[in-house]
Amino acid sequence: NYRTVYSVATSGTTGWTGTGSITSDGESITLTATEDGNLLFDTTAVNTLEADRLRFKIKGSGSVELKAVRSYHGGTTSAFRVNWDNDNFVILDDNWLTVDVPFVSGTTGTSIYQTGTRHDVPVTTGGSFDYENDLRTFRVEYNADDGDTIQIKEVEYYKSVSWHVHSLKDMTD
């Protein structure tokens, strides 16, 4: 269970830029790469204060490798970002990969699983990064050859719902 705090629009190309050409099918963003680079969404000061996780779906064609995910808050330089860097694993052709990572202060690492294989993802932040600042940029960095495609959809910052048992009562007849 969760509550969406902010969804990044993928129904159109407004706000999206990248290293290559960008289109949308109304559900996802597709970037046709010209070389290694990035796909990013810029916005103006969106509140994501209550979010504790970031989730999105991504797939690629050719030899696309997911290099890093970045989220900039309060500014657009590296000092204002949180980084999820990984070991450059290949995104499987025509298979959506769900990336779901923690977005909370103090996180130093997480994992991304692809077809049962765990990929270690170190988490670091810039010196001016603050989770309480507003979202400015969502960015995916990749390695790709000219003509490879990267698709992304369902990008959301969300609040996971925690639950726990407060008490147990015996039920007897």
Side-chain angles (χ1 to χ4, degrees):
N1 291 329
Y2 65 94
R3 180 176 52 81
T4 299
V5 175
Y6 178 69
S7 291
V8 174
T10 57
S11 58
T13 59
T14 302
W16 288 93
T17 58
T19 312
S21 61
I22 297 175
T23 59
S24 175
D25 61 5
E27 180 181 329
S28 64
I29 294 294
T30 300
L31 175 116
T32 303
T34 54
E35 60 187 351
D36 297 347
N38 61 69
L39 173 61
L40 59 95
F41 177 80
D42 284 316
T43 186
T44 55
V46 173
N47 182 359
T48 56
L49 176 62
E50 296 178 24
D52 63 2
R53 298 197 66 85
L54 167 63
R55 175 176 43 218
F56 61 94
K57 293 183 180 179
I58 189 167
K59 72 177 174 176
S61 70
S63 60
V64 176
E65 294 178 328
L66 179 61
K67 185 176 173 183
V69 177
R70 317 246 189 251
S71 189
Y72 295 76
H73 294 260
T76 56
T77 65
S78 62
F80 292 95
R81 72 184 184 198
V82 59
N83 310 291
W84 296 273
D85 294 305
N86 67 65
D87 59 357
N88 293 329
F89 59 92
V90 175
I91 298 172
L92 300 177
D93 287 346
D94 300 318
N95 289 305
W96 287 105
L97 173 65
T98 300
V99 175
D100 191 335
V101 292
F103 181 71
V104 292
S105 181
T107 302
T108 58
T110 188
S111 301
I112 296 175
Y113 289 86
Q114 183 180 36
T115 59
T117 301
R118 178 186 176 273
H119 299 278
D120 182 48
V121 182
V123 180
T124 59
T125 58
S128 299
F129 179 79
D130 186 339
Y131 288 90
E132 294 180 1
N133 287 338
D134 293 336
L135 170 68
R136 302 297 172 92
T137 302
F138 166 77
R139 177 176 172 164
V140 173
E141 296 179 4
Y142 59 84
N143 294 330
D145 294 329
D146 186 23
D148 288 350
T149 61
I150 299 147
Q151 285 182 273
I152 192 165
K153 68 179 181 177
E154 299 173 19
V155 182
E156 61 184 349
Y157 291 82
Y158 71 96
K159 172 72 176 163
S160 58
V161 178
S162 62
W163 64 272
H164 52 277
V165 176
H166 290 280
S167 69
L168 292 173
K169 295 182 181 181
D170 286 338
M171 300 289 289
T172 58
D173 291 333

